[in-house]
Amino acid sequence: MTENDGRKRREVATPTPVYQSLVHYLIVRREPTGFVAPHTFFRFGERVMPVFRAREAARRFIDARDLGEGWYVKGFSVGELISLLSALTRG
């Protein structure tokens, strides 16, 4: 981008984003009503849903367990993840 301040044209740097969109990975299955992510596990009496920062880690998690057909790894932005988790806790 260039800017003309009346004297000469000069380059104006495009602002660099402070952070990139973070991606988190969940194990999901697609259903007619949307995504299903019921993979909650119990640890010390509390429900836990595994959320991964690396796609490969989530794939290894699937490979290490017999989850059945249709489960796969899907990346979610922070906003998508919040919406999904909110919907799961309401439903």
Side-chain angles (χ1 to χ4, degrees):
M1 176 190 296
T2 60
E3 182 179 87
N4 186 347
D5 64 1
R7 295 180 295 240
K8 61 180 180 175
R9 294 177 66 94
R10 61 188 172 104
E11 291 294 317
V12 176
T14 303
T16 305
V18 175
Y19 60 91
Q20 294 181 348
S21 177
L22 299 175
V23 177
H24 295 81
Y25 299 94
L26 292 177
I27 298 167
V28 298
R29 183 174 66 205
R30 187 77 164 135
E31 296 287 329
T33 57
F35 290 109
V36 177
H39 280 67
T40 55
F41 300 91
F42 291 91
R43 182 175 179 171
F44 305 116
E46 294 184 13
R47 294 183 343 164
V48 177
M49 177 182 291
V51 177
F52 302 90
R53 288 283 299 133
R55 182 182 299 272
E56 188 55 38
R59 285 189 185 138
R60 285 192 307 268
F61 187 89
I62 289 175
D63 292 343
R65 287 156 179 82
D66 185 20
L67 301 181
E69 293 290 319
W71 295 101
Y72 64 98
V73 177
K74 176 159 176 39
F76 290 89
S77 70
V78 173
E80 291 171 324
L81 183 62
I82 290 168
S83 294
L84 177 68
L85 293 175
S86 176
L88 289 173
T89 58
R90 280 181 280 164

